[in-house]
Amino acid sequence: MAAGAEAPAADQAQPASVWTAVAYAVGLAAASVVAVYVAHIPVQLSDSLGNLMQIQDVGYRELFGAHVRNHAYVRPMLWVQIKAAFDLAQGHYWITFKAIHALQLLATAGLFVRLLRVRSFSDAAIVPLTLMVLFGLHTFSGTVREAFPVNGFLTIIVVVLAAVNLSVSRPHWTNDVLAVGLFAFGLLTVESGLLVVVAVVAAWMAGLRGISRWGVLACVALMAGYFCLRFGALGLGLPGLGERGSGYGLSALDPDELVRRFSANPMVFYAYNVVCSFLTVLFSEPRAGVWLFVRRLVEQDEVPSWMVVNLGSSLLATAVVARYGIHAVRRWWAGQSLHGDRVAFVSLGILTASAVLSFGYTKNVMMSAGGVFFALLVYEAVVDLSSGFERMRWAPRVLGLAVVMALSVSWSVRAAGLPVLLREAAFETRNDWATVYQWLEDQGLGPRMPRAAPLVEQLRTEALDMPVPNPNIGTPNFYRYFDLD
Amino acid sequence: MRVSLAGGSQAVRSPIGLAALVPLVIVSGWLGWQIAAGTRWETDRLNPSDAILFRDFAQAVRSVEKGADPSRVYPVSTHDGIDPGAGMTPLEAAVRVEESELIRALLHYGARADAPERQRLACLALSLGDEGTVEILHDGPIEELTCD
């Protein structure tokens, strides 16, 4: 895999098998389970109701234009999507918003499984573990626990997965058109949409030719045009240092403290955020820029069981990925890269770029796309371990089996925590609606009430009538192994 | 798209695959069963005061909207640090869980407390460090609140 060298004919896709269908079935089933729990979360109050009240009486063109000129966050397509979902709902808000969320989850699972290229039992057997990593990573939970009408980060995951799928497909001019369209759509939804061009360029460098050279150049040109427009013609900047709080060291700092410490040299803070964002996917530490485990050790506090599970599972996964990385580099050096190695290269690029894009502040969900592609790396790593198993001596074999079993158990526990986390999110969100009118008063949104009153009352009624278990009653002891933060 | 049906004996020749699959099925199956069995998709039927102590504010507010008296004393379960005694009003329960927005909501729904009761609850809020609630229940500056 020399940079830009096309994948050899011998590495072309094998025909699909029954195991391919099994893999898709498992992926879609897992996504469906998550979707069921997501469906029981009422529409979120904060960052949601205010947006819905804003878009009620605004046209699409006006909405797009207003948010293209936003100083810090240029996300006009996200607002257009919210309005489209709102108009599509025709008063049936909960079912429409949850249906959109469920479709996004199913699309994520389907596009992800396609990249795994499952063709045999040994591949299919690793899919459940991979899905546990996908859904169990703390970076993923924000894409499902935050019950917005349209979750922008999940949209970006779908868009980036779609772009990589185009790259691994047979070349066709429609792939180029779709790639440019996906990039434009993603970029104007959330700034993380830049990951699409990273995926497209990395895929080209890895020898994947589903998108032609012209498609790649078009995406790069579009990116250049976006930067010229944003920072040049429109004179829009980036979010400032004091825009929001962020973690640093052993604690979270509020905006004023961040400005006080880093206004003279913000690059130190930005570099810290990039490194921490990368590390949080690999080791589940730090979390949102705060070194929680280290803080426990420093303060000689008890380390909670969930933290041990998180750290242990991530250490094992990263160790297996590192081992695979050595093998992949060796194959690349010998000019014998496999398809999985190329996809792994793209995954590493997306993971790294996700971390770079998180320079402004750290938040777990901002690494959600990076986390999805880390799961892909874990899959390739375990497949690599499996394919080399027969050639190993007995000691490495035993170690390999033990590591995979430990991975399997630990990530099962992590992923099992997601439904519990979603139930708790449902309970908290429902509680928020109990005092919505007091909240609206405190937010100064009272003047918009006359026009928005029917919307607020309907969402409130749907929320309060939602059957949600109380997590404060009868919590089993084994919940302490779940990351419910 | 050609589809191959190969793979039947591959299970035996894929120890890594089995190592990944078998423990996962066992662990996630057991955990999934436990979690699903404990997921009762109906709202627990607690009285407004007990619901508030269990932090189910939505159920408490819904009960009041459907006719439950927000000023009545309800029996409550034992909670950490709270003596159930002869029960408590939803207003007192909201003070104990330090939810000032909920207190405002209950007052909006007609929860009544006479002056001595408001002073008692304000003192309770002050002892918990909840100055926001003290400001709601006590007319005048916090410094003027007299507590035993």
mmCIF file of all heavy atoms in Angstrom, chain A residues 62-89:
data_model
loop_
_atom_site.group_PDB
_atom_site.id
_atom_site.type_symbol
_atom_site.label_atom_id
_atom_site.label_comp_id
_atom_site.label_asym_id
_atom_site.label_seq_id
_atom_site.Cartn_x
_atom_site.Cartn_y
_atom_site.Cartn_z
ATOM 1 N N GLU A 62 -34.741 31.511 5.179
ATOM 2 C CA GLU A 62 -34.367 32.457 6.235
ATOM 3 C C GLU A 62 -33.551 31.746 7.319
ATOM 4 O O GLU A 62 -32.559 32.275 7.819
ATOM 5 C CB GLU A 62 -35.650 33.039 6.846
ATOM 6 C CG GLU A 62 -35.424 34.168 7.841
ATOM 7 C CD GLU A 62 -36.743 34.617 8.480
ATOM 8 O OE1 GLU A 62 -37.823 34.338 7.907
ATOM 9 O OE2 GLU A 62 -36.683 35.222 9.557
ATOM 10 N N LEU A 63 -33.973 30.536 7.651
ATOM 11 C CA LEU A 63 -33.286 29.748 8.676
ATOM 12 C C LEU A 63 -31.855 29.428 8.228
ATOM 13 O O LEU A 63 -30.898 29.582 8.991
ATOM 14 C CB LEU A 63 -34.066 28.455 8.915
ATOM 15 C CG LEU A 63 -33.736 27.617 10.139
ATOM 16 C CD1 LEU A 63 -34.021 28.399 11.413
ATOM 17 C CD2 LEU A 63 -34.569 26.339 10.119
ATOM 18 N N PHE A 64 -31.720 28.983 6.986
ATOM 19 C CA PHE A 64 -30.398 28.646 6.458
ATOM 20 C C PHE A 64 -29.504 29.875 6.467
ATOM 21 O O PHE A 64 -28.353 29.832 6.918
ATOM 22 C CB PHE A 64 -30.541 28.081 5.033
ATOM 23 C CG PHE A 64 -29.276 27.530 4.471
ATOM 24 C CD1 PHE A 64 -28.990 26.173 4.590
ATOM 25 C CD2 PHE A 64 -28.364 28.338 3.805
ATOM 26 C CE1 PHE A 64 -27.812 25.644 4.073
ATOM 27 C CE2 PHE A 64 -27.186 27.816 3.291
ATOM 28 C CZ PHE A 64 -26.913 26.474 3.427
ATOM 29 N N GLY A 65 -30.032 30.988 5.948
ATOM 30 C CA GLY A 65 -29.244 32.214 5.856
ATOM 31 C C GLY A 65 -28.794 32.720 7.217
ATOM 32 O O GLY A 65 -27.654 33.154 7.391
ATOM 33 N N ALA A 66 -29.686 32.650 8.198
ATOM 34 C CA ALA A 66 -29.353 33.153 9.535
ATOM 35 C C ALA A 66 -28.216 32.341 10.155
ATOM 36 O O ALA A 66 -27.338 32.877 10.819
ATOM 37 C CB ALA A 66 -30.588 33.088 10.429
ATOM 38 N N HIS A 67 -28.199 31.031 9.939
ATOM 39 C CA HIS A 67 -27.195 30.194 10.589
ATOM 40 C C HIS A 67 -25.918 30.036 9.776
ATOM 41 O O HIS A 67 -24.919 29.538 10.302
ATOM 42 C CB HIS A 67 -27.806 28.832 10.955
ATOM 43 C CG HIS A 67 -28.772 28.952 12.101
ATOM 44 N ND1 HIS A 67 -28.349 29.009 13.408
ATOM 45 C CD2 HIS A 67 -30.112 29.091 12.132
ATOM 46 C CE1 HIS A 67 -29.405 29.156 14.192
ATOM 47 N NE2 HIS A 67 -30.485 29.213 13.452
ATOM 48 N N VAL A 68 -25.928 30.440 8.524
ATOM 49 C CA VAL A 68 -24.675 30.492 7.767
ATOM 50 C C VAL A 68 -23.808 31.602 8.336
ATOM 51 O O VAL A 68 -22.574 31.523 8.325
ATOM 52 C CB VAL A 68 -24.969 30.743 6.269
ATOM 53 C CG1 VAL A 68 -23.752 31.316 5.562
ATOM 54 C CG2 VAL A 68 -25.393 29.456 5.598
ATOM 55 N N ARG A 69 -24.441 32.615 8.883
ATOM 56 C CA ARG A 69 -23.701 33.782 9.371
ATOM 57 C C ARG A 69 -23.450 33.721 10.878
ATOM 58 O O ARG A 69 -22.977 34.690 11.456
ATOM 59 C CB ARG A 69 -24.479 35.065 9.044
ATOM 60 C CG ARG A 69 -24.548 35.334 7.568
ATOM 61 C CD ARG A 69 -25.358 36.602 7.281
ATOM 62 N NE ARG A 69 -25.514 36.803 5.852
ATOM 63 C CZ ARG A 69 -26.384 36.173 5.081
ATOM 64 N NH1 ARG A 69 -27.208 35.306 5.618
ATOM 65 N NH2 ARG A 69 -26.442 36.395 3.783
ATOM 66 N N ASN A 70 -23.725 32.580 11.494
ATOM 67 C CA ASN A 70 -23.461 32.441 12.934
ATOM 68 C C ASN A 70 -21.972 32.565 13.183
ATOM 69 O O ASN A 70 -21.172 31.972 12.468
ATOM 70 C CB ASN A 70 -23.959 31.066 13.419
ATOM 71 C CG ASN A 70 -23.833 30.919 14.920
ATOM 72 O OD1 ASN A 70 -22.743 30.939 15.470
ATOM 73 N ND2 ASN A 70 -24.955 30.776 15.587
ATOM 74 N N HIS A 71 -21.590 33.322 14.179
ATOM 75 C CA HIS A 71 -20.166 33.616 14.382
ATOM 76 C C HIS A 71 -19.346 32.375 14.752
ATOM 77 O O HIS A 71 -18.269 32.146 14.222
ATOM 78 C CB HIS A 71 -20.010 34.685 15.474
ATOM 79 C CG HIS A 71 -18.579 34.982 15.797
ATOM 80 N ND1 HIS A 71 -17.763 35.704 14.950
ATOM 81 C CD2 HIS A 71 -17.796 34.622 16.832
ATOM 82 C CE1 HIS A 71 -16.547 35.783 15.476
ATOM 83 N NE2 HIS A 71 -16.537 35.145 16.615
ATOM 84 N N ALA A 72 -19.857 31.580 15.660
ATOM 85 C CA ALA A 72 -19.036 30.479 16.178
ATOM 86 C C ALA A 72 -19.381 29.129 15.548
ATOM 87 O O ALA A 72 -18.495 28.396 15.136
ATOM 88 C CB ALA A 72 -19.191 30.397 17.699
ATOM 89 N N TYR A 73 -20.664 28.818 15.448
ATOM 90 C CA TYR A 73 -21.076 27.494 14.976
ATOM 91 C C TYR A 73 -21.886 27.636 13.695
ATOM 92 O O TYR A 73 -23.027 28.063 13.715
ATOM 93 C CB TYR A 73 -21.905 26.783 16.051
ATOM 94 C CG TYR A 73 -21.166 26.620 17.365
ATOM 95 C CD1 TYR A 73 -21.489 27.393 18.473
ATOM 96 C CD2 TYR A 73 -20.128 25.703 17.472
ATOM 97 C CE1 TYR A 73 -20.799 27.249 19.659
ATOM 98 C CE2 TYR A 73 -19.435 25.564 18.663
ATOM 99 C CZ TYR A 73 -19.766 26.332 19.752
ATOM 100 O OH TYR A 73 -19.081 26.186 20.925
ATOM 101 N N VAL A 74 -21.259 27.270 12.586
ATOM 102 C CA VAL A 74 -21.916 27.392 11.282
ATOM 103 C C VAL A 74 -22.600 26.062 10.989
ATOM 104 O O VAL A 74 -21.993 25.137 10.456
ATOM 105 C CB VAL A 74 -20.888 27.743 10.187
ATOM 106 C CG1 VAL A 74 -21.582 27.892 8.842
ATOM 107 C CG2 VAL A 74 -20.145 29.017 10.549
ATOM 108 N N ARG A 75 -23.876 25.945 11.342
ATOM 109 C CA ARG A 75 -24.598 24.672 11.218
ATOM 110 C C ARG A 75 -25.967 24.863 10.587
ATOM 111 O O ARG A 75 -26.981 24.422 11.137
ATOM 112 C CB ARG A 75 -24.735 24.023 12.602
ATOM 113 C CG ARG A 75 -23.389 23.745 13.266
ATOM 114 C CD ARG A 75 -23.518 23.271 14.684
ATOM 115 N NE ARG A 75 -22.200 22.969 15.239
ATOM 116 C CZ ARG A 75 -21.974 22.572 16.493
ATOM 117 N NH1 ARG A 75 -22.985 22.437 17.325
ATOM 118 N NH2 ARG A 75 -20.751 22.330 16.901
ATOM 119 N N PRO A 76 -26.041 25.492 9.431
ATOM 120 C CA PRO A 76 -27.358 25.775 8.855
ATOM 121 C C PRO A 76 -28.142 24.520 8.490
ATOM 122 O O PRO A 76 -29.371 24.498 8.625
ATOM 123 C CB PRO A 76 -27.020 26.608 7.608
ATOM 124 C CG PRO A 76 -25.609 26.254 7.275
ATOM 125 C CD PRO A 76 -24.945 26.003 8.582
ATOM 126 N N MET A 77 -27.439 23.472 8.032
ATOM 127 C CA MET A 77 -28.171 22.269 7.621
ATOM 128 C C MET A 77 -28.762 21.544 8.818
ATOM 129 O O MET A 77 -29.771 20.855 8.695
ATOM 130 C CB MET A 77 -27.242 21.316 6.851
ATOM 131 C CG MET A 77 -27.064 21.660 5.387
ATOM 132 S SD MET A 77 -28.635 21.903 4.501
ATOM 133 C CE MET A 77 -29.389 20.298 4.680
ATOM 134 N N LEU A 78 -28.143 21.676 9.971
ATOM 135 C CA LEU A 78 -28.711 21.049 11.168
ATOM 136 C C LEU A 78 -30.058 21.691 11.483
ATOM 137 O O LEU A 78 -31.034 21.002 11.794
ATOM 138 C CB LEU A 78 -27.762 21.189 12.351
ATOM 139 C CG LEU A 78 -28.245 20.594 13.675
ATOM 140 C CD1 LEU A 78 -28.489 19.103 13.556
ATOM 141 C CD2 LEU A 78 -27.235 20.867 14.796
ATOM 142 N N TRP A 79 -30.115 23.004 11.362
ATOM 143 C CA TRP A 79 -31.370 23.709 11.636
ATOM 144 C C TRP A 79 -32.424 23.370 10.584
ATOM 145 O O TRP A 79 -33.597 23.222 10.891
ATOM 146 C CB TRP A 79 -31.116 25.218 11.677
ATOM 147 C CG TRP A 79 -30.440 25.615 12.946
ATOM 148 C CD1 TRP A 79 -29.105 25.660 13.189
ATOM 149 C CD2 TRP A 79 -31.068 25.973 14.170
ATOM 150 N NE1 TRP A 79 -28.862 26.038 14.491
ATOM 151 C CE2 TRP A 79 -30.044 26.240 15.107
ATOM 152 C CE3 TRP A 79 -32.401 26.107 14.558
ATOM 153 C CZ2 TRP A 79 -30.310 26.635 16.413
ATOM 154 C CZ3 TRP A 79 -32.672 26.503 15.863
ATOM 155 C CH2 TRP A 79 -31.647 26.760 16.785
ATOM 156 N N VAL A 80 -31.975 23.224 9.346
ATOM 157 C CA VAL A 80 -32.910 22.836 8.275
ATOM 158 C C VAL A 80 -33.462 21.434 8.555
ATOM 159 O O VAL A 80 -34.655 21.177 8.368
ATOM 160 C CB VAL A 80 -32.195 22.885 6.902
ATOM 161 C CG1 VAL A 80 -33.006 22.165 5.836
ATOM 162 C CG2 VAL A 80 -31.937 24.325 6.489
ATOM 163 N N GLN A 81 -32.595 20.538 9.032
ATOM 164 C CA GLN A 81 -33.051 19.181 9.357
ATOM 165 C C GLN A 81 -34.055 19.214 10.504
ATOM 166 O O GLN A 81 -35.056 18.482 10.498
ATOM 167 C CB GLN A 81 -31.860 18.304 9.749
ATOM 168 C CG GLN A 81 -30.933 17.941 8.603
ATOM 169 C CD GLN A 81 -29.670 17.289 9.107
ATOM 170 O OE1 GLN A 81 -29.715 16.223 9.733
ATOM 171 N NE2 GLN A 81 -28.534 17.922 8.854
ATOM 172 N N ILE A 82 -33.790 20.053 11.502
ATOM 173 C CA ILE A 82 -34.708 20.139 12.649
ATOM 174 C C ILE A 82 -36.064 20.633 12.172
ATOM 175 O O ILE A 82 -37.113 20.108 12.545
ATOM 176 C CB ILE A 82 -34.133 21.069 13.734
ATOM 177 C CG1 ILE A 82 -32.886 20.460 14.353
ATOM 178 C CG2 ILE A 82 -35.168 21.338 14.826
ATOM 179 C CD1 ILE A 82 -32.121 21.405 15.277
ATOM 180 N N LYS A 83 -36.024 21.650 11.317
ATOM 181 C CA LYS A 83 -37.298 22.188 10.814
ATOM 182 C C LYS A 83 -38.016 21.169 9.930
ATOM 183 O O LYS A 83 -39.237 21.025 9.997
ATOM 184 C CB LYS A 83 -37.058 23.482 10.032
ATOM 185 C CG LYS A 83 -38.388 24.072 9.534
ATOM 186 C CD LYS A 83 -38.309 25.531 9.224
ATOM 187 C CE LYS A 83 -39.654 26.007 8.634
ATOM 188 N NZ LYS A 83 -40.762 25.916 9.618
ATOM 189 N N ALA A 84 -37.244 20.457 9.104
ATOM 190 C CA ALA A 84 -37.862 19.444 8.246
ATOM 191 C C ALA A 84 -38.524 18.355 9.093
ATOM 192 O O ALA A 84 -39.638 17.908 8.791
ATOM 193 C CB ALA A 84 -36.806 18.823 7.321
ATOM 194 N N ALA A 85 -37.840 17.944 10.155
ATOM 195 C CA ALA A 85 -38.414 16.931 11.055
ATOM 196 C C ALA A 85 -39.672 17.478 11.731
ATOM 197 O O ALA A 85 -40.684 16.781 11.873
ATOM 198 C CB ALA A 85 -37.385 16.529 12.105
ATOM 199 N N PHE A 86 -39.611 18.734 12.122
ATOM 200 C CA PHE A 86 -40.753 19.371 12.783
ATOM 201 C C PHE A 86 -41.952 19.441 11.833
ATOM 202 O O PHE A 86 -43.082 19.105 12.214
ATOM 203 C CB PHE A 86 -40.344 20.775 13.241
ATOM 204 C CG PHE A 86 -41.407 21.536 13.974
ATOM 205 C CD1 PHE A 86 -41.642 21.315 15.322
ATOM 206 C CD2 PHE A 86 -42.197 22.474 13.313
ATOM 207 C CE1 PHE A 86 -42.625 22.012 16.005
ATOM 208 C CE2 PHE A 86 -43.188 23.173 13.994
ATOM 209 C CZ PHE A 86 -43.403 22.944 15.337
ATOM 210 N N ASP A 87 -41.722 19.877 10.612
ATOM 211 C CA ASP A 87 -42.810 19.989 9.632
ATOM 212 C C ASP A 87 -43.337 18.605 9.244
ATOM 213 O O ASP A 87 -44.537 18.414 9.055
ATOM 214 C CB ASP A 87 -42.333 20.738 8.377
ATOM 215 C CG ASP A 87 -42.096 22.220 8.644
ATOM 216 O OD1 ASP A 87 -42.581 22.724 9.685
ATOM 217 O OD2 ASP A 87 -41.403 22.876 7.834
ATOM 218 N N LEU A 88 -42.428 17.647 9.127
ATOM 219 C CA LEU A 88 -42.837 16.278 8.771
ATOM 220 C C LEU A 88 -43.724 15.670 9.849
ATOM 221 O O LEU A 88 -44.626 14.895 9.580
ATOM 222 C CB LEU A 88 -41.574 15.416 8.586
ATOM 223 C CG LEU A 88 -41.760 13.950 8.201
ATOM 224 C CD1 LEU A 88 -42.272 13.859 6.766
ATOM 225 C CD2 LEU A 88 -40.447 13.184 8.323
ATOM 226 N N ALA A 89 -43.449 16.055 11.112
ATOM 227 C CA ALA A 89 -44.170 15.470 12.249
ATOM 228 C C ALA A 89 -45.667 15.778 12.193
ATOM 229 O O ALA A 89 -46.484 14.962 12.620
ATOM 230 C CB ALA A 89 -43.570 15.971 13.556
#
